[in-house]
Amino acid sequence: MEAALKAMSDPTRREILRLVQNEELPAGEIASNFPVSRPAISQHLTVLKAAGLIDERRAGVKRLYRTRVEGMAELKAFLEMFWDVRLKRLKAAIEADIEKEESCDDDVQN
């Protein structure tokens, strides 16, 4: 999980993930979307692959990349754990505010 979070911390890698989320792309086509060298993109792809976020497939001399669904699902589940906790806290705070308002309304009516 740490490797996936670290990989996602870089904006170029996040953009690479966005590019390959719906289709498999060759490294050269991925690199053409960025103002950095192909070796730099290759390093980003290596980091994403090591983190389990993308798959690499060879087709002749080309290397094709796509999002690794399982890796993204693990990352999503991890992040949702924090989201669920925040939603529960927000719900409790709202319910406490509603109870407080209802209590104040009761005091005003009496």
Side-chain angles (χ1 to χ4, degrees):
M1 188 55 57
E2 186 175 331
L5 291 171
K6 187 174 182 180
M8 294 289 294
S9 70
D10 185 278
T12 299
R13 290 192 285 264
R14 288 192 305 270
E15 182 62 17
I16 290 170
L17 286 169
R18 190 189 66 72
L19 288 170
V20 298
Q21 72 181 344
N22 295 319
E23 63 181 317
E24 193 174 53
L25 294 175
E29 189 173 332
I30 293 168
S32 71
N33 288 278
F34 300 94
V36 297
S37 68
R38 284 185 182 217
I41 294 301
S42 179
Q43 286 183 329
H44 285 300
L45 291 168
T46 298
V47 170
L48 289 167
K49 194 170 112 178
L53 298 175
I54 62 171
D55 282 326
E56 174 188 86
R57 180 177 69 87
R58 289 183 186 238
V61 296
K62 289 184 177 182
R63 291 180 185 206
L64 302 169
Y65 297 90
R66 66 175 178 206
T67 300
R68 185 175 169 267
V69 175
E70 300 85 1
M72 296 302 287
E74 291 168 10
L75 183 60
K76 181 182 179 225
F78 177 76
L79 294 173
E80 282 179 343
M81 176 178 62
F82 294 101
W83 182 245
D84 289 344
V85 169
R86 299 285 294 170
L87 285 176
K88 287 177 184 174
R89 287 182 185 163
L90 178 60
K91 181 182 179 221
I94 291 170
E95 288 172 348
D97 283 348
I98 290 171
E99 285 181 23
K100 187 176 179 182
E101 287 178 15
E102 288 174 352
S103 175
C104 287
D105 288 346
D106 288 344
D107 289 344
V108 171
Q109 290 177 3
N110 291 332

